[in-house]
Amino acid sequence: MMNWEKLLLPEGLKPSDTDLQRSQFERDFDRIIFSAPFRNLQDKTQVFPLPENDFVHTRLTHSLEVSSVGRSLGKSAGKFLLDKYPELASKKLQPFDIGGIVATAALAHDIGNPPFGHAGEEAISDFFKFHATGKLWQQKCSANEWEDLTNFEGNAQGFRMLVDKKNGMNISPATLASFTKYPRPAWCKASGQKRRSQKKFGFFTSNISHYELLAEGMGIPQLADNCWMRHPLAFLVEAADDICYSIIDLEDGCTLGLVSLDQTISLMGAIVGERYSPEKLKKYSSPKQQLAIMRAMAISQLIQEITAVFEEKEAAILSGEFDQALTEIIPSAENLEAITSLSVKKIYRSQPVLEKEAAGYQVLEGLLATFSDALFNFHFEKSRFSGHNKSILRLLPEELELQKSGDAYALMRGLLDFISGMTDKHALSLYRRVKGITIPGT
């Protein structure tokens, strides 16, 4: 059974140890929102390539909205926990502290995603699985390291960025553990019952020691070697993301004409339930106003339902007995499933989305092939190191120091930091330049 005091304030930390103006959780939020990796989310695709006329969500706006929903969920959970466990209040914790933890972890939840969304993750994995240049690196890596490279995961990349001292974020343990929805490496999975926390992986081989120290300090039990239970607040971070992408992707699909306004309102109305009044909604003549009202009401209803099931399952979450997505057991679960089913057919497989994914594969494969070939020849095949390779390596940021390390896995982790951290436009622009499609200054 996990203990909330250790989960929230490990090693005797206080909510505000050094800064009277801000709690440590507020400092976490500020450090992330001012960081370069977070800023780059403004030009990373959420679902749709950015159109010229209608505004749709980027990773940045999505992350801000998930954080807002996460804060509401965390504050509600915090009030419940402080009422149930008076000893937490004696540590000067407040509901807004727990809200701050969830809000910050939710703010960072996509910080490790590469350009071009989930297609980018698959493109990176496929490069090492299938591309001749990518497969060269297998002979230089251990079996566990190769699992990392052939299964690129944005969650694990995000964990790497948050713990990397070069990024200077210094995130507190509770926020970092709440961020980690899948506390295992790629090559290890706990056997037994189907567990949500084991669906994906949350850190790379090189970062296992970071999570091990985190789990030890917070009293998070292991399910198996190198596989841990979730921090309970990670369930709320996941729920905030599930709520936003379900409702907001549907709204974007309607804005772009992929789903009709009537169908969108009907799907959201099913969640709102008795509070939905078609007559009152018709008083607003603008479709955008109608969408905004229904979106707000649907999200509010889902927050209430998630809060209720979290309180109901809190003891089972602490013991590890419960390990499902909270959105799967709320009253609106079937309605959310109906939205997901429609979104797959009409939104995620729409022409603009498929074209964006196809472009992402081409761009990321091209960048990885060009840079990794130059690095491989420089370190392991000097006789093949060409003038072209030399000019390519000069394009890499000096701070990566990829020409100093002879460790193949570290080289590829550094290269993936560089490429996955790019915005969509930067990746496309660099691809065109290294392929000679565009020439600077012409």
Side-chain angles (χ1 to χ4, degrees), residues 126 357 409:
D126 284 355
E357 290 181 353
Y409 178 72

Side-chain angles (χ1 to χ4, degrees), residues 45-339:
T45 301
Q46 169 62 13
V47 175
F48 301 102
L50 304 183
E52 294 182 3
N53 299 319
D54 293 307
F55 177 81
V56 295
H57 290 77
T58 65
R59 288 280 170 188
L60 183 72
T61 50
H62 169 71
S63 297
L64 290 167
E65 288 168 347
V66 174
S67 180
S68 177
V69 172
R71 186 179 301 280
S72 296
L73 289 171
K75 285 176 71 175
S76 296
K79 185 177 185 306
F80 164 76
L81 293 173
L82 289 168
D83 287 343
K84 184 174 180 179
Y85 302 100
E87 63 271 22
L88 294 179
S90 71
K91 300 296 179 180
K92 299 185 178 179
L93 277 167
Q94 298 292 330
F96 62 77
D97 288 316
I98 294 156
I101 294 171
V102 180
T104 305
L107 186 73
H109 83 281
D110 272 349
I111 206 166
N113 279 34
F116 306 104
H118 293 299
E121 291 178 302
E122 198 166 77
I124 293 171
S125 302
D126 284 355
F127 171 75
F128 291 102
K129 288 177 183 175
F130 305 118
H131 195 282
T133 303
K135 289 164 74 174
L136 285 173
W137 293 88
Q138 184 172 9
Q139 60 186 292
K140 304 294 182 181
C141 296
S142 71
N144 290 346
E145 291 168 346
W146 189 243
E147 279 293 308
D148 283 353
L149 295 178
T150 54
N151 295 279
F152 183 86
E153 172 57 54
N155 289 288
Q157 183 66 21
F159 185 88
R160 175 177 167 84
M161 295 170 75
L162 292 177
V163 300
D164 189 343
K165 291 183 179 179
K166 286 186 288 188
N167 288 325
M169 287 190 256
N170 193 26
I171 302 303
S172 65
T175 300
L176 191 56
S178 300
F179 167 88
T180 311
K181 294 186 289 186
Y182 309 106
R184 70 173 181 90
W187 43 267
C188 173
K189 189 173 183 180
S191 59
Q193 70 182 67
K194 187 177 180 181
R195 300 181 70 88
R196 180 73 173 189
S197 63
Q198 301 291 291
K199 180 182 177 183
K200 299 181 182 179
F201 70 97
F203 40 78
F204 296 119
T205 298
S206 53
N207 295 123
I208 289 176
S209 60
H210 291 98
Y211 195 83
E212 189 172 22
L213 285 172
L214 197 69
E216 184 178 341
M218 307 180 88
I220 300 176
Q222 282 194 327
L223 296 165
D225 286 345
N226 299 305
C227 301
W228 285 265
M229 286 168 49
R230 268 185 180 176
H231 189 290
L233 295 184
F235 288 93
L236 296 180
V237 175
E238 178 181 58
D241 188 25
D242 289 347
I243 288 171
C244 286
Y245 78 69
S246 295
I247 302 301
I248 304 300
D249 287 358
L250 178 63
E251 182 183 15
D252 280 349
C254 182
T255 298
L256 294 178
L258 299 173
V259 184
S260 72
L261 178 63
D262 288 345
Q263 192 169 22
T264 302
I265 289 175
S266 175
L267 287 164
M268 292 185 183
I271 293 172
V272 174
E274 294 179 357
R275 292 189 298 132
Y276 168 46
S277 170
E279 291 73 25
K280 289 183 180 179
L281 195 64
K282 287 177 182 176
K283 293 179 181 178
Y284 300 91
S285 57
S286 166
K288 288 186 178 180
Q289 284 182 306
Q290 293 179 3
L291 272 178
I293 290 166
M294 291 304 297
R295 177 236 301 144
M297 293 178 71
I299 289 176
S300 175
Q301 178 64 29
L302 291 170
I303 288 172
Q304 292 179 41
E305 293 183 14
I306 292 292
T307 299
V309 297
F310 179 82
E311 293 177 5
E312 178 189 340
K313 299 293 184 181
E314 180 262 341
I317 290 172
L318 277 184
S319 70
E321 179 185 348
F322 178 86
D323 195 342
Q324 295 174 253
L326 295 174
T327 50
E328 293 177 350
I329 60 169
I330 58 175
S332 291
E334 288 188 13
N335 298 322
L336 286 177
E337 182 57 38
I339 290 175

